[in-house]
Structure formats: C-alpha cells, structure tokens
Amino acid sequence: MINAFRSSFLGVIALVTVAAPVCAQSIEDLNLQFHGYATQSFLYTTKNNILTANSSDGSPAWTEAVVNLSALPQPKLRISLQVRYSIIGQLGNAFTLDYAAAEYKVNDRFGVRFGKVKTPSSLYNTQQDIDPSYMWSLLPQSVYPVLSRNSLLANFGGLAFGTIPLGEKFGKLVYAGYGGQISLASNDGFIIPIKDAGFGAPNGYGETLAGGSLRWKTPIPGLLIGAANSHDFTSSVPITYDAGLITGTFAGKPFNNQTFSASYDHNKFSVASEYTRIPFSALISLPAPFPYPHVPYSFDNRGWYGMASYKITGKWAAGLYNSQFFNHAAAKGPARYSKDWALSTRYDFNEYLYAKAEQHWIDGTAVLYDTWNNTGGLQPDTHLTILKMGVSF
Amino acid sequence: MKKLVTPLFAAALFALSSSLHAQVIVIANPGVKATEVTKADIKEVFTGNATTLKDGSRVVPILLNEGTANEEFLKVYIGKSDSAYRATWRSLVFSGSAMMPKTLDGDAAVVAFVMAHSGAIGYIDKESPHAGVKVLSVK
C-alpha cells in the first residue's frame, strides 16, 4: 500500500518534471539549479560503540553526500529533488531520496507542495539532514535522533503552508498543515529496540500521519515560539522472530506526537529550546508454537534540550547544549534515559569549506546505541568526540 | 585640545560611515508598484522569507556577485558576510523551501536584468547608471 502510494506520488512528480519544460519557453527559463554537499566525520568514544560504528576504536564511518536539483519553470511553480548517499556505522551505504516535490506558491500567505515533502514538525526538522546549515555536528538526539532521521524528515503526501502578517504589533504567524505516509526502514532507529528484543521487521514500518505546525514570529525581533502536532494513525506490518522462523504481525496504535519550541537570535547570540513527546504502543502477535501469542510493546519518549551559540567571528562559532531524553515506559536504569552535554565549534574556511569539532558527555544508554555492536554490554556513560569536514556548493 | 579633537574625530567618522551607507541603492523593475520599503522588508525579501512587498508586489531578489556595493548591502541590510549569506541561501535550497537567487557580475548587468524582468529587485552602487529602473526609497 505504502509502495503504491509512494509510486503514485513520484509518478506525479515525474509528470510535472516532464511537463515543466513545456510550460517554460526555453531550457534557460527553467532556471535549473544544481547544488550539493558532502561531509566526512570521525567518531571516537571512550566506552560504548555509538551509531552502530566501532567508535571505541575510532571510526570514520559517517559519510554523507547529497545532490540537489531544482527548477522554476513558472514564477509560482518550483520543482525540486534531493538524493543522498550515506554511511552511518553499519547502516546506509545506499542512495535515499530526501525529498522530491512540486510546489505551487500563490503568494506568501498560501502555497502547496506535493510529493515526498519535508515534514515541518519541530524547529529544525526540515534542516536536520543539512549539515552545512547548522553549527553542531550532532543535533540534540533527544529531539533529532540521527538514526531515525529518514523517517522523521519527510512524508509522501502534501503540505499547505504560508505566512500570515499579524500587524506590526503582533508579528507574523507561519503555518503548515500536512498529511501523508511515512516509511521506516528495517534498520531505522525506532526499530533498533525491537531488533534488540530478538524480533525482525523485514519490511520496516509504515503509517499514515496528519499534522500541523504554527510558528509565531513575535514582534520582538529574533524571538520565535512554535508548536506542532502530528497524529499518527494505526498501522500493521509483518514481524519475525527466532531468526525469521516465526512470522507474525506488529500492530501500532494511533498516537499524537507533540512538539513545543522557542528560539531567540540577537546579533551574534542564539538560544533555542524544544520539548517533544512520542507515546507509542503496539501489539506483537505471533502464531503458535510461540508461548506468548500477544506481546505488548510500547515506548513513551520524552525529550527536550536547551542550546546556546555565539558567533565569535564571521567564520568561527561555538556553543553548547544539554539534551535529555526519557522513555517513561522503560524499566528504571541507564536504558531508560540519556543525558547529553555537548560542547561544539565550527570554522568556515570560506563559502564552501568548513570544519566542526564536538565533544559529548553522555550519561545513560537510551539513544544512539544498539546492543549487537556492543556485545560486552552497554556501559552507563560514554564520552564522544566528533570531528567533521564538510564542503558544499 | 585633546578633549575637542576626540568628538570631532568621532563625528567625522560617523559622517564618513553615513556617507558610505548611502552609496548603495535598491532598484526594482518599473512594474513594481511600491516606491517606498522598509529595511525590514528588504531583509525579508533578500533572505528568502518573503516574495511579496507590503503593497502586494511580487518580487524576485537579484544578487551582486562581489564588490563594494555587495559588501555594503549585506552589512547594512542583512547583517552577514558574503560567505555566510550565500551559505544561508544554500540551506534554504537544501531544505526544499527556496531556490538560489540569480547572481550577476557588476552593476550594469543587475540594472539590465532588473529592467527586463518583471518583479526583479536588486541593489547597485548609487553612482552607477540606472536609467530604466525604479529606485526604491528605504525607510
């Protein structure tokens, strides 16, 4: 169903892409643009292996390369797509589609986008895959888990968006409403705990969602306040156990994912904070001879962070954040939480080339880890060092 | 004497600085209705946050590739260096919410493009010839 849905939407995008030159008078009128970026990171951890990489030995296993193609055949019609090749630890090593969308923007107050569109939920969700756009090497994992990035980033569906001026005394209201389907790969971060419990999800997990976000650009210059809600509908996918010998179903129940955000920029100084909650529950059903035909599965993920950064010079910035994550459905212990202090810096050599360095002090094991790459068991705390080079054009 | 020289020097610096700021002008295609815009309007348009002016005129920003006028425009209206500014635009491109504005070499090219394209809005050195385009007054 999801594949059919996805194919239909990509078909529409392909049709619009093919039809676009007809609308434009010449290839120059298409205003074709080609951009891209690539990053290479080095990971080192003092104890646990992180992001499925052998980071305790030092690992270069985090590579990303992105190409972006966009066209503007008509002033109000824009078509864009972005393809990524990534390796994160033992994951990736494949091409993925970040988004492929056709946008029709009537004016600043109203526009629509169709295809695989980025989901405008939290403050940085539509930017979380764009390393050149932020200072951090790793965004706060309590809200932006990098191993679940692909599933949170975009959905196959549509989006309506716009900005409503509220007058000089009240600022502006930026709104977005969306609906579509998301697809979690079989190795997505949200599925790692299921795999750790001995199950397999050969087809991953997919669900329908609908949601919206409101961001108030307040009359105080630089101050933004936002809230978003995504309603995820029920879904059922195949699940395996005992090395694939037993096949059953994994039925997720509907839930709401809420996010509250605030950010403030003043000259060279920026601060931001967000809170998000994902209360998910599902029922795993397996046929006999499995001794427990129905196994409840749930997590109640609550994450928040506070961050601050400062532009020391035009090329050099530094900052720190504290990110905290709790799974209220988990048993007490380090696997229930993750508390992460990060100290970060970035230097832009020029418009194209930059370097980042980041140090993390992580307490708890609830995010970033898997058990199959930590066969000796997870230690309750780990220090993580990330060095990254990036180039964009 | 020293007490007198210091404020005079500061006043001279201020005058020089004001004079420099006045060297860049914002131009638009004659079809753009607006004749007066605010500094905030210019920042919204040239950072990809708005595609229309308050009077409803749809506008498309045109950038200068380099030079004194470009540096002054970015300093006065945007508050970013050229490399940081272009990196910000690329972020909008990668996030799927905008396209990179057309960038032209030299004031003459900007004037010619703005004159020929409906809704185009750009900036040039005040002293550069700009017949055929509208100069927007910035409050």
Side-chain angles (χ1 to χ4, degrees):
Chain A
M1 174 64 183
I2 284 178
N3 284 338
F5 191 78
R6 188 185 312 175
S7 300
S8 305
F9 267 109
L10 293 181
V12 170
I13 295 300
L15 191 64
V16 172
T17 306
V18 170
V22 178
C23 302
Q25 291 177 342
S26 70
I27 195 75
E28 193 180 339
D29 289 342
L30 280 174
N31 192 15
L32 276 172
Q33 292 187 359
F34 178 70
H35 295 279
Y37 68 85
T39 62
Q40 174 60 52
S41 302
F42 178 81
L43 306 167
Y44 174 71
T45 46
T46 54
K47 294 177 185 171
N48 301 323
N49 284 320
I50 210 161
L51 296 173
T52 73
N54 295 320
S55 54
S56 57
D57 296 328
S59 172
W62 189 5
T63 305
E64 308 217 37
V66 164
V67 291
N68 179 291
L69 190 64
S70 49
L72 193 73
Q74 295 290 314
K76 295 180 179 178
L77 176 64
R78 185 168 57 84
I79 298 157
S80 52
L81 68 88
Q82 187 163 292
V83 177
R84 171 182 305 268
Y85 174 78
S86 68
I87 298 171
I88 304 181
Q90 298 171 33
L91 308 178
N93 195 16
F95 289 95
T96 53
L97 184 67
D98 285 345
Y99 61 87
E103 175 189 286
Y104 189 80
K105 189 172 179 180
V106 179
N107 50 38
D108 287 336
R109 290 169 181 261
F110 183 73
V112 290
R113 216 173 276 161
F114 291 100
K116 185 173 186 183
V117 298
K118 286 198 166 180
T119 308
S121 51
S122 43
L123 210 52
Y124 304 115
N125 197 49
T126 58
Q127 292 170 272
Q128 64 161 310
D129 60 324
I130 310 164
D131 190 78
S133 72
Y134 46 81
M135 191 199 68
W136 319 96
S137 295
L138 200 59
L139 284 169
Q141 294 298 287
S142 56
V143 179
Y144 302 102
V146 68
L147 293 181
S148 299
R149 189 176 62 190
N150 286 345
S151 59
L152 294 170
L153 186 67
N155 69 84
F156 290 89
L159 167 77
F161 63 95
T163 302
I164 308 291
L166 302 174
E168 289 186 7
K169 288 185 178 175
F170 298 101
K172 293 179 177 178
L173 194 62
V174 181
Y175 72 89
Y178 56 88
Q181 294 197 297
I182 60 168
S183 172
L184 282 66
S186 59
N187 55 14
D188 187 273
F190 284 117
I191 293 178
I192 285 175
I194 300 170
K195 291 175 78 174
D196 282 349
F199 295 95
N203 300 337
Y205 183 75
E207 63 188 11
T208 304
L209 55 77
S213 71
L214 288 174
R215 290 180 191 175
W216 180 32
K217 288 185 172 179
T218 70
I220 300 168
L223 177 63
L224 183 145
I225 296 169
N229 184 69
S230 168
H231 182 77
D232 296 47
F233 295 88
T234 185
S235 182
S236 181
V237 294
I239 197 165
T240 60
Y241 188 71
D242 198 10
L245 293 175
I246 301 172
T247 302
T249 57
F250 181 91
K253 296 177 182 173
F255 65 95
N256 285 300
N257 172 17
Q258 288 156 342
T259 306
F260 301 96
S261 319
S263 67
Y264 178 65
D265 298 312
H266 180 70
N267 295 333
K268 298 175 178 179
F269 183 66
S270 297
V271 290
S273 185
E274 285 191 279
Y275 168 85
T276 190
R277 182 183 178 201
I278 305 178
F280 178 79
S281 62
L283 195 63
I284 298 171
S285 300
L286 295 165
F290 189 76
Y292 308 104
H294 299 293
V295 183
Y297 172 80
S298 66
F299 57 78
D300 184 359
N301 293 347
R302 302 179 196 194
W304 73 269
Y305 70 84
M307 62 165 59
S309 62
Y310 185 75
K311 287 174 187 164
I312 301 162
T313 68
K315 294 183 172 183
W316 184 26
L320 83 164
Y321 67 69
N322 181 239
S323 167
Q324 300 211 356
F325 172 96
F326 295 90
N327 175 4
H328 284 250
K332 287 187 177 175
R336 180 186 170 90
Y337 61 85
S338 176
K339 301 172 186 176
D340 180 10
W341 276 102
L343 187 61
S344 186
T345 189
R346 167 176 170 155
Y347 188 82
D348 287 86
F349 297 98
N350 52 44
E351 182 186 343
Y352 308 103
L353 184 67
Y354 63 88
K356 296 180 178 182
E358 196 163 278
Q359 179 65 36
H360 289 255
W361 292 266
I362 304 166
D363 182 21
T365 62
V367 290
L368 292 168
Y369 303 117
D370 56 89
T371 53
W372 74 80
N373 201 33
N374 287 285
T375 50
L378 286 166
Q379 301 298 308
D381 64 276
T382 290
H383 298 172
L384 162 67
T385 305
I386 305 173
L387 302 174
K388 186 181 284 192
M389 287 291 291
V391 62
S392 68
F393 63 88
Chain B
M1 183 64 181
K2 192 178 177 183
K3 281 182 182 174
L4 181 66
V5 168
T6 306
L8 281 175
F9 182 66
L13 266 183
F14 178 77
L16 181 64
S17 158
S18 301
S19 145
L20 280 175
H21 285 182
Q23 287 305 306
V24 69
I25 53 171
V26 178
I27 58 170
N29 181 274
V32 172
K33 292 180 206 162
T35 55
E36 191 177 77
V37 291
T38 65
K39 198 173 162 184
D41 294 336
I42 295 297
K43 186 172 183 178
E44 289 285 278
V45 168
F46 278 87
T47 52
N49 287 319
T51 55
T52 52
L53 297 175
K54 285 196 177 103
D55 68 348
S57 301
R58 189 178 181 87
V59 287
V60 180
I62 306 299
L63 310 184
L64 261 175
N65 195 17
E66 55 188 359
T68 315
N70 183 52
E71 286 172 18
E72 187 190 330
F73 177 81
L74 295 179
K75 185 179 176 186
V76 173
Y77 292 97
I78 311 296
K80 285 187 176 177
S81 67
D82 186 65
S83 60
Y85 178 59
R86 288 173 201 280
T88 303
W89 266 107
R90 274 207 299 276
S91 295
L92 290 175
V93 172
F94 292 133
S95 70
S97 51
M99 289 186 74
M100 200 79 177
K102 188 175 278 291
T103 302
L104 299 171
D105 291 319
D107 290 1
V110 172
V111 171
F113 189 91
V114 168
M115 191 164 54
H117 291 81
S118 172
I121 180 171
Y123 52 89
I124 56 168
D125 190 294
K126 185 183 180 182
E127 301 302 325
S128 295
H130 51 268
V133 296
K134 175 189 275 189
V135 177
L136 298 181
S137 164
V138 183
K139 286 191 285 183

